[in-house]
Amino acid sequence: RDRMFANASEDEWDLTMAVHLKGHFTTARHAAAHWRDQAKAGETVDARIINTTSGAGLLGSVGQAAYSAAKGGIISLTLVQAAELGRYGVTANAIAPAARTRMTEKVFADTMAAPDDPGAFDEMAADNVAPLVAWLGSPDSAGVTGRVFDVTGQALSVAEGWHRGPTQQHPTDDPAQLGEVVQRLVAEA
């Protein structure tokens, strides 16, 4: 459903949100209620939520306003899940994989193409993402929560999301002076 924001329909927006953001909510919500009930009953819970976001959710993507917003929403959902469910023994993290799928093969054909040499490392093989997912689902990851991991080939990074940057006191009654402060802060950032 790639479409420039000004051309997107409300139906396209709603469908994208339903698949990506609501899809993550509905499955995890039932699991979270189950784990909460187990913890309240005195059982030890060691559970994992691993959400799937995208580079589009981290940085935005031209022509993909709904997809980018949904994937960004998944990141925010992950942060809330981590904060709310930690007391029950549940971690929540997200992955932003870059890998070949049926969709990416069509949309990004050149980038996603498999190497011509069958013995060469295939940077876009989905197999490259699996070890991270397996580790995040393991007991070894119990101390890691509220994180977003970007994985492409053998490159793994942890996203450093929104955080406060440069700060300065500002005059609240003069928009012209406020503009000067904003310009200075943007330059510092």
Side-chain angles (χ1 to χ4, degrees):
R1 296 187 181 89
D2 288 357
R3 189 151 346 270
M4 297 301 282
F5 178 72
N7 297 328
S9 74
E10 191 171 339
D11 286 342
E12 289 169 329
W13 180 273
D14 290 344
L15 285 169
T16 303
M17 290 296 158
V19 168
H20 295 282
L21 188 53
K22 188 174 182 181
H24 279 74
F25 163 78
T26 54
T27 54
R29 187 254 172 261
H30 290 286
H34 171 73
W35 293 323
R36 180 201 57 212
D37 292 346
Q38 282 184 311
K40 286 186 173 185
E43 297 177 40
T44 300
V45 176
D46 186 27
R48 308 286 178 266
I49 295 173
I50 305 167
N51 293 319
T52 304
T53 185
S54 165
L58 290 165
L59 304 172
S61 181
V62 173
Q64 297 184 319
Y67 181 78
S68 296
K71 292 300 188 175
I74 292 166
I75 294 169
S76 293
L77 176 63
T78 301
L79 297 176
V80 171
Q81 290 168 333
E84 291 183 359
L85 302 175
R87 68 179 138 201
Y88 303 123
V90 180
T91 66
N93 292 287
I95 60 168
R100 186 181 316 99
T101 65
R102 288 185 309 245
M103 181 183 77
T104 62
E105 272 183 316
K106 292 176 185 168
V107 178
F108 307 110
D110 292 340
T111 306
M112 293 295 163
D116 293 332
D117 177 1
F121 177 71
D122 186 353
E123 185 173 1
M124 291 300 147
D127 297 357
N128 300 326
V129 179
L132 174 62
V133 175
W135 186 84
L136 287 172
S138 77
D140 292 342
S141 72
V144 178
T145 193
R147 299 296 183 163
V148 178
F149 296 92
D150 189 316
V151 59
T152 303
Q154 292 177 313
L156 175 63
S157 63
V158 62
E160 293 181 335
W162 290 101
H163 55 277
R164 290 185 196 234
T167 305
Q168 181 179 328
Q169 296 298 317
H170 66 85
T172 58
D173 58 348
D174 185 351
Q177 286 182 334
L178 183 61
E180 292 172 13
V181 172
V182 169
Q183 294 294 344
R184 213 170 15 255
L185 292 173
V186 169
E188 287 179 38

